[in-house]
């Protein structure tokens, strides 16, 4: 493994669905802020659309900003080559017809020093994951209901 990879932080991906192909661009400045502050590094950013017939089409950044409302040129060239056609097809399979998605692969720069230290000590990541906010809220609601039910008894 090269030194570049040894120094990397954890790498994550997101597939973000935009119902009805409505992308406002509101999140782009926030993503840029994370990059500018050295919290994340964008490795890949691609967009796909799932047509009503179920076919999945890759979109160019210029296709997303036909009205000129937000500047996407800062994201051009955000391609490490990690995303392949299989990944685009898989992301598209998770979309509802008529929707589009952004596919983002990013390095967690904030965690790179910890990751380096752990690798030097021989540790390795053996599992990881994300807990959706909806699942956290449901769990908190269930705990609150159980607590209220126990107090009523």
């Amino acid at each position: 493994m090269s030194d570049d990879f040894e120094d990397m932080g954890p790498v994550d991906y997101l597939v973000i669905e935009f119902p009805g192909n409505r992308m406002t661009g509101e999140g782009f400045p926030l993503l840029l802020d994370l990059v500018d502050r050295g919290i994340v590094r964008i490795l890949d950013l691609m967009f796909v659309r799932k047509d009503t017939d179920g076919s999945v089409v890759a979109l160019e950044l210029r296709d997303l900003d036909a009205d000129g409302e937000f500047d996407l040129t800062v994201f051009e060239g955000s391609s490490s080559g990690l995303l392949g056609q299989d990944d685009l097809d898989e992301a598209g399979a998770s979309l509802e017809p008529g929707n589009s998605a952004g596919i983002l692969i990013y390095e967690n720069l904030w965690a790179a020093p910890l990751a380096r230290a752990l690798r030097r000590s021989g540790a390795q990541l053996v599992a990881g994951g994300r807990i959706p906010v909806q699942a956290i809220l449901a769990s908190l609601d269930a705990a609150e209901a159980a607590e209220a039910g126990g107090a009523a008894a």
Side-chain angles (χ1 to χ4, degrees):
M1 186 182 290
S2 77
D3 288 340
D4 290 342
F5 290 110
E6 282 292 323
D7 289 339
M8 284 184 76
V11 174
D12 289 324
Y13 75 93
L14 299 172
V15 177
I16 304 158
E17 184 173 26
F18 298 97
N21 294 314
R22 290 185 310 273
M23 189 179 312
T24 66
E26 186 176 347
F28 290 129
L30 299 169
L31 180 58
L32 281 176
D33 181 58
L34 293 172
V35 171
D36 290 343
R37 291 190 292 143
I39 295 171
V40 300
R41 177 172 58 132
I42 298 172
L43 300 175
D44 275 295
L45 177 61
M46 298 187 75
F47 297 88
V48 295
R49 180 184 69 232
K50 187 170 191 174
D51 291 332
T52 54
D53 67 1
S55 60
V56 177
V57 179
L59 300 173
E60 297 290 328
L61 286 177
R62 65 182 158 272
D63 295 338
L64 301 173
D65 193 23
D67 60 5
E69 292 215 9
F70 41 92
D71 182 15
L72 296 175
T73 57
V74 296
F75 295 107
E76 286 181 353
S78 294
S79 178
S80 67
L82 290 173
L83 282 173
Q85 187 60 48
D86 290 348
D87 301 309
L88 299 179
D89 292 341
E90 187 174 333
S94 65
L95 298 177
E96 291 295 321
N99 293 347
S100 60
I103 306 161
L104 175 66
I105 297 179
Y106 61 97
E107 176 187 1
N108 291 283
L109 293 173
W110 61 269
L114 173 63
R116 280 191 300 270
L118 293 171
R119 282 192 287 267
R120 279 193 305 268
S121 71
Q124 64 180 347
L125 180 65
V126 294
R130 285 242 153 53
I131 303 171
V133 172
Q134 298 86 340
I136 293 171
L137 293 174
S139 180
L140 291 172
D141 287 345
E144 188 176 294
E147 190 175 293

